[in-house]
Amino acid sequence: MMLFDRIKMLRAKGVIGMNFRNIELIGRYNDRSKYPLVDNKLITKRIAKEAGIAVTELYGKIEWQSQLARLHEMLAPYDSFVIKPVHGSGGKGIVVITHREDDLFIRANGTSMTLTDIHTHITNILSGLYSLGGRYDIAIIEKMVEFDPVFQNYSYEGVPDVRLIVYKGYPMMAMMRCPTHESNGKANLHQGAVGVGIDIATGKAINAVQHNHPVTVHPNTKHDFSGLQIPHWEEILKIGAKCYDMTGLGYLGADIVFDRNVGPLLLELNARPGLAIQIANNKGEYHRVKRIDQEKQERNAEERAAFCINVLSKV
């Protein structure tokens, strides 16, 4: 396809680029003073709980190197847990421990860590190795999500999540990010996870890509994505809409996971969400942005979610 024809096709689909995202969406609607609400996972947990949104349970946090002297004691009550940097991004620095075998901690990908390995990893987190801007960081230890078995055929060595793009409080586009062996069990597309575009009206899969190329089955489980249906779909959209109310950010990404016992949980928020969701959906964000711009900004979260199901899904 000639370059001109390709540009014409992308415009017809409403695909936006980095300049439009940075200037017309992030620059215009995301007040930088509100970034700490989403860049700091501890603050995000607190304001989400205040807004009535379920989050993963926090076991503890490590702010200082001296606290590592009590690491064995801190981890003793838990057979499984997740370690994260508070200011991390892109899944960097996240370690998922699924169980223990004697003195070893077994990760989701089957490899093992000793207590000394975990000590070293947390030291790296505190030094800022995985944080935005390389600044000193805090390590949090939280409960491992027991992911819903309805997704077991669509994930490998990790927990899938749903990424919503929320514009002015309207969850306007969605995709499920499915971990693979290549992504090391992480739900990050640039590491090899599969992005599955989701119909905003029904929660059903409409398209899937890996490394920006179309796929029809999961590369490891070989299960067909055409049968994927996200449960609790209306509730998922309401959570996304509420994230706007609790942060005031006009353009954000909301990542939601599914716990078999608790249901949907808000995992984290992103004030600078990527644009790969357009490829996963084979549809751009532009036309939906313009449709939302026509609406009065007086609806509550439930009404905005209903608008996305009944109206925006047809745009």
Side-chain angles (χ1 to χ4, degrees):
M1 181 182 295
M2 299 292 289
L3 178 60
F4 179 77
D5 293 332
R6 181 172 175 79
I7 293 174
K8 187 176 179 181
M9 180 194 71
L10 293 174
R11 284 181 175 172
K13 289 185 176 182
V15 175
I16 66 171
M18 294 295 285
N19 287 338
F20 186 91
R21 185 201 71 159
N22 293 342
I23 298 171
E24 300 296 333
L25 301 177
I26 294 176
R28 178 169 294 182
Y29 297 110
N30 285 0
D31 185 338
R32 291 191 66 85
S33 68
K34 296 174 180 175
Y35 278 24
L37 299 177
V38 299
D39 287 346
N40 184 317
K41 293 182 175 61
L42 286 172
I43 295 177
T44 303
K45 280 181 182 290
R46 176 176 58 77
I47 63 175
K49 291 174 73 173
E50 291 172 354
I53 299 174
V55 297
T56 48
E57 180 182 350
L58 180 67
Y59 285 159
K61 62 180 179 180
I62 297 176
E63 299 179 77
W64 312 105
Q65 191 73 25
S66 58
Q67 291 176 267
L68 286 171
R70 296 180 51 250
L71 181 61
H72 176 74
E73 181 182 340
M74 291 179 66
L75 299 179
Y78 312 115
D79 287 330
S80 62
F81 53 86
V82 179
I83 300 172
K84 294 179 179 178
V86 164
H87 295 97
S89 66
K92 297 174 184 175
I94 296 176
V95 167
V96 180
I97 301 297
T98 60
H99 64 285
R100 299 188 190 216
E101 292 180 4
D102 299 323
D103 292 332
L104 295 176
F105 298 85
I106 310 301
R107 302 180 63 176
N109 61 7
T111 61
S112 62
M113 300 179 75
T114 64
L115 185 64
T116 301
D117 293 332
I118 293 178
H119 186 291
T120 301
H121 182 71
I122 293 177
T123 296
N124 288 335
I125 289 176
L126 298 181
S127 70
L129 184 62
Y130 308 108
S131 71
L132 291 166
R135 56 184 168 181
Y136 291 110
D137 209 346
I138 299 171
I140 57 174
I141 302 168
E142 62 182 24
K143 183 179 181 181
M144 186 185 75
V145 173
E146 298 183 37
F147 88 92
D148 195 317
V150 72
F151 297 124
Q152 65 181 3
N153 291 322
Y154 304 108
S155 182
Y156 192 79
E157 298 177 349
V159 179
D161 67 14
V162 168
R163 159 65 63 92
L164 293 176
I165 297 298
V166 183
Y167 175 60
K168 292 184 177 178
Y170 292 84
M172 66 173 181
M173 194 163 281
M175 72 172 167
M176 171 159 267
R177 302 185 300 185
C178 301
T180 64
H181 178 68
E182 180 183 347
S183 73
N184 198 26
K186 296 181 179 178
N188 298 99
L189 301 194
H190 66 276
Q191 294 180 3
V194 176
V196 183
I198 301 296
D199 180 9
I200 207 73
T202 63
K204 294 181 179 178
I206 54 177
N207 190 52
V209 295
Q210 185 183 32
H211 295 304
N212 297 334
H213 297 294
V215 296
T216 57
V217 300
H218 191 284
N220 304 115
T221 69
K222 305 303 180 186
H223 202 78
D224 195 323
F225 285 114
S226 63
L228 175 59
Q229 164 75 62
I230 309 292
H232 313 290
W233 184 241
E234 190 170 344
E235 184 179 354
I236 299 299
L237 295 181
K238 290 178 183 177
I239 291 174
K242 289 179 180 178
C243 290
Y244 166 73
D245 297 330
M246 75 184 205
T247 64
L249 292 170
Y251 183 75
L252 60 87
D255 298 337
I256 298 165
V257 294
F258 300 82
D259 187 285
R260 69 170 71 182
N261 300 312
V262 183
L265 299 171
L266 178 63
L267 191 63
E268 62 183 50
L269 298 175
N270 192 323
R272 318 161 194 80
L275 298 174
I277 194 169
Q278 299 180 113
I279 301 172
N281 279 270
N282 196 26
K283 178 189 288 286
E285 297 179 5
Y286 182 80
H287 299 308
R288 292 185 176 179
V289 165
K290 293 305 175 185
R291 181 64 183 84
I292 292 169
D293 284 343
Q294 298 173 16
E295 294 301 303
K296 295 179 180 178
Q297 299 304 311
E298 299 172 353
R299 295 189 173 105
N300 61 34
E302 287 75 15
E303 291 169 336
R304 293 195 300 270
F307 175 85
C308 293
I309 292 173
N310 298 319
V311 179
L312 200 65
S313 60
K314 300 179 178 66
V315 177

